[in-house]
Structures are given as C-alpha cells and as structure tokens.
C-alpha cells in the first residue's frame, strides 16, 4: 500500500476491529485492504478525468462523436464497488449503537 488516506486509515481501523467483537476479523481486514486499494485507484482515475475530461471526441474516419472517457467509466464502477464494500464491512461490525456510531464517525470524517 502506497498511502493511507484520512478517510480510511487502515491501521486505525484494524485497531478498532481488534478491540471490538467483529464477526469475522480476517474478512474485515481483507475488506479494509480492498477499500484502501479502491480509494487509491479512484484518486488516480479522478486525476485522469480531471486532466482529460469526462468525455472526448472519438474520431473514426469521417465520423466523430462524443464518447465517455474510459477512466470515467472505471471510476463510476469503482465507486459502486467501494460503497458496496463499505456496506459489507459495516455488516460485520457489532450492533451496539455507540460503537457503530463511533466507527461511522471515524470512517466518514475528513
């Protein structure tokens, strides 16, 4: 892992999972690693879209039309998977309201 983002700090989340009664800790750790990877990937894709735009003019012979940037398509697919992975991770967390609220606050904080 190259970098750890403020919104998903893998080490801090691992500590939270270690301290709580998480249903399946190895799965939770794997999900955290995937989340970090997806976040890094989304940052790269976002930079590509910001640099080159969400669409481009596709030319083939005399025809030309507006086409979605493949990086935009990948970004959208990754965001969907990212959100599903977060939901899956949260489903492993204990039901206790205080602990879940603290976890959610941590995950969503900047």
């Amino acid at each position: 892992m190259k970098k750890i983002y403020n919104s998903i700090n893998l080490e801090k989340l691992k500590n939270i999972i270690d301290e709580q009664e998480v249903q399946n800790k190895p799965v939770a750790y794997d999900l955290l690693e995937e989340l970090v990877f997806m976040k890094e990937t989304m940052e790269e894709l976002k930079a590509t879209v910001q640099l080159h735009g969400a669409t481009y003019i596709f030319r083939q012979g005399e025809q030309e039309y507006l086409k979605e940037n493949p990086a935009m398509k990948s970004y959208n697919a990754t965001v969907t998977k990212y959100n599903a992975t977060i939901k899956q991770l949260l489903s492993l967390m204990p039901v206790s309201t205080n602990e879940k609220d603290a976890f959610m606050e941590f995950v969503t904080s900047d």
Side-chain angles (χ1 to χ4, degrees):
M1 258 166 266
K2 290 184 248 177
K3 48 183 162 172
I4 302 208
Y5 293 86
N6 290 336
S7 62
I8 299 179
N9 183 320
L10 183 58
E11 291 305 315
K12 191 169 182 181
L13 287 175
K14 279 185 180 180
N15 291 338
I16 290 171
I17 290 170
D18 283 339
E19 294 168 3
Q20 296 184 14
E21 292 297 320
V22 176
Q23 291 176 16
N24 193 339
K25 288 185 182 190
V27 171
Y29 295 143
D30 288 346
L31 290 171
L32 287 172
E33 288 181 23
E34 291 303 316
L35 286 169
V36 171
F37 175 78
M38 284 188 272
K39 182 69 173 179
E40 291 172 351
T41 301
M42 288 187 306
E43 290 298 323
E44 290 175 19
L45 292 168
K46 187 187 297 186
T48 300
V49 170
Q50 288 172 336
L51 181 64
H52 300 289
T55 58
Y56 65 97
I57 302 291
F58 178 77
R59 292 182 182 92
Q60 187 173 14
E62 292 182 18
Q63 296 179 339
E64 67 179 49
Y65 56 93
L66 197 59
K67 188 172 181 178
E68 182 179 25
N69 185 332
M72 188 75 218
K73 187 176 260 187
S74 295
Y75 178 84
N76 289 334
T78 305
V79 165
T80 301
K81 292 174 183 174
Y82 179 84
N83 290 331
T85 304
I86 287 177
K87 185 176 179 179
Q88 187 178 6
L89 176 61
L90 292 177
S91 74
L92 297 175
M93 301 305 288
V95 181
S96 173
T97 307
N98 292 339
E99 290 176 0
K100 194 167 188 177
D101 288 344
F103 180 76
M104 283 301 296
E105 185 178 314
F106 170 76
V107 170
T108 58
S109 69
D110 289 61

